[in-house]
């Protein structure tokens, strides 16, 4: 079955630390890849997405993600986190040809940044 | 534009009661989607509705769950005779056009249902 794994459910970092959140998926075909973020008390919002082209994707607020096809991974990175990055982060995968509402979601990673 | 609005944000129900969750899509959006996130799991698609029509209900449990999106008013996700296993976060999303590949879907803040 198709699935998305986010290896860390909780991550705690200090401000200015570097961040990498892992995301692996199981699907052999072509996929579109997404990272969503939910800040406390707010709606889920799109952070960045990969459809094709350069596998290094830059998103909002200094985040980036790299698609490594051979590893079935789409890890999220940020070189220096801020307290305002405290949020829950979701990786999602959409096998090409599926409708956008049929994303396969990871369980999420709760990120806490200590001031 | 106001975003996707869900209410209530938190709902507590006793076993056997009914839960009603409401979702007002973004202005101009006529496509609504409901998702459920069980504890420690990812979001799972439940149902896709367009005004007065259910387009895809492949993710809906066969019993006790129903959804509607009337011509006027918000979309409603209804859970009858709730059980502890229904405790979850329920997310609503909307889009301007059919939720096909490349089309942007906008999410609400979620409604957290706790069954005691």
């Amino acid at each position: 079955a198709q699935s998305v794994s986010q290896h860390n459910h909780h991550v705690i970092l200090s401000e200015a630390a570097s961040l990498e959140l892992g995301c692996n998926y199981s699907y052999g075909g072509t996929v579109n890849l997404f990272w969503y973020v939910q800040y406390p008390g707010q709606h889920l919002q799109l952070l960045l997405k990969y459809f094709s082209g350069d596998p290094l994707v830059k998103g909002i607020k200094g985040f980036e993600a790299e698609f490594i096809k051979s590893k079935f991974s789409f890890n999220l990175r940020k070189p220096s986190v801020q307290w305002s990055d405290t949020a829950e982060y979701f990786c999602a995968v959409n096998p090409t040809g599926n409708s956008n509402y049929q994303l396969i979601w990871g369980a999420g990673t709760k990120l806490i940044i200590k001031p | 534009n106001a975003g996707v609005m869900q209410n209530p944000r938190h709902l507590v129900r006793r076993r056997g009661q009914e839960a009603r969750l409401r979702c007002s899509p973004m202005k101009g959006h006529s496509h609504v989607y409901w998702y459920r996130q069980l504890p420690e799991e990812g979001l799972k698609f439940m149902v896709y509705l367009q005004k007065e029509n259910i387009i895809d209900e492949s993710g809906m449990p066969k019993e006790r769950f129903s959804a509607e999106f009337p011509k006027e008013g918000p979309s409603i996700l209804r859970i009858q005779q709730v059980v502890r296993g229904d405790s979850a976060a329920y997310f609503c999303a909307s889009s301007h056009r059919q939720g096909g590949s490349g089309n942007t879907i906008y999410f609400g803040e979620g409604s957290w249902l706790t069954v005691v």
Side-chain angles (χ1 to χ4, degrees):
Chain A
Q2 300 158 1
S3 65
V4 176
S5 295
Q6 292 183 242
H7 311 294
N8 305 101
H9 288 293
H10 296 87
V11 172
I12 301 174
L13 294 173
S14 297
E15 276 196 310
S18 65
L19 169 72
E20 180 159 3
L21 300 182
C23 173
N24 286 87
Y25 64 92
S26 63
Y27 180 72
T30 308
V31 294
N32 298 326
L33 298 149
F34 305 80
W35 275 96
Y36 281 84
V37 60
Q38 186 173 27
Y39 297 102
Q42 296 188 28
H43 58 277
L44 264 173
Q45 56 185 290
L46 184 65
L47 197 56
L48 49 80
K49 62 185 178 184
Y50 171 80
F51 281 8
S52 64
D54 188 345
L56 185 61
V57 181
K58 295 197 184 297
I60 60 172
K61 304 189 181 186
F63 285 91
E64 65 179 30
E66 185 175 12
F67 172 45
I68 303 180
K69 191 174 179 181
S70 61
K71 294 185 178 180
F72 300 91
S73 70
F74 190 54
N75 292 356
L76 182 70
R77 299 195 293 249
K78 185 170 182 178
S80 176
V81 293
Q82 301 170 307
W83 176 78
S84 58
D85 293 324
T86 294
E88 188 159 16
Y89 293 80
F90 295 90
C91 180
V93 168
N94 187 13
T96 304
N98 273 19
S99 295
N100 230 18
Y101 67 87
Q102 294 170 320
L103 296 180
I104 302 162
W105 294 78
T109 297
K110 287 187 170 71
L111 175 66
I112 296 172
I113 306 299
K114 297 184 293 183
Chain B
N1 254 352
V4 178
M5 304 299 291
Q6 290 188 245
N7 69 82
R9 294 294 313 282
H10 299 274
L11 182 64
V12 179
R13 282 288 176 266
R14 295 185 188 280
R15 280 178 294 171
Q17 291 185 318
E18 178 179 287
R20 284 188 183 223
L21 307 176
R22 288 176 290 278
C23 171
S24 297
M26 283 184 72
K27 189 176 180 181
H29 287 191
S30 60
H31 302 263
V32 165
Y33 317 85
W34 284 95
Y35 300 81
R36 177 169 66 174
Q37 185 189 18
L38 294 169
E40 306 298 324
E41 295 186 17
L43 276 72
K44 296 283 195 308
F45 166 73
M46 298 180 76
V47 62
Y48 164 24
L49 308 107
Q50 194 181 1
K51 282 290 187 181
E52 300 185 275
N53 291 306
I54 295 175
I55 307 299
D56 181 353
E57 57 181 348
S58 57
M60 282 283 266
K62 298 297 179 202
E63 297 175 348
R64 302 187 296 108
F65 284 72
S66 62
E68 62 177 15
F69 188 18
K71 189 175 180 182
E72 301 291 338
S75 175
I76 307 263
L77 179 68
R78 183 181 176 208
I79 312 171
Q80 294 177 288
Q81 299 174 304
V82 295
V83 300
R84 288 231 170 97
D86 296 332
S87 295
Y90 292 83
F91 286 89
C92 174
S94 73
S95 66
H96 176 58
R97 293 194 296 269
Q98 184 178 358
S101 184
N103 187 29
T104 301
I105 292 178
Y106 296 86
F107 285 84
E109 299 165 336
S111 291
W112 270 257
L113 172 66
T114 302
V115 180
V116 297

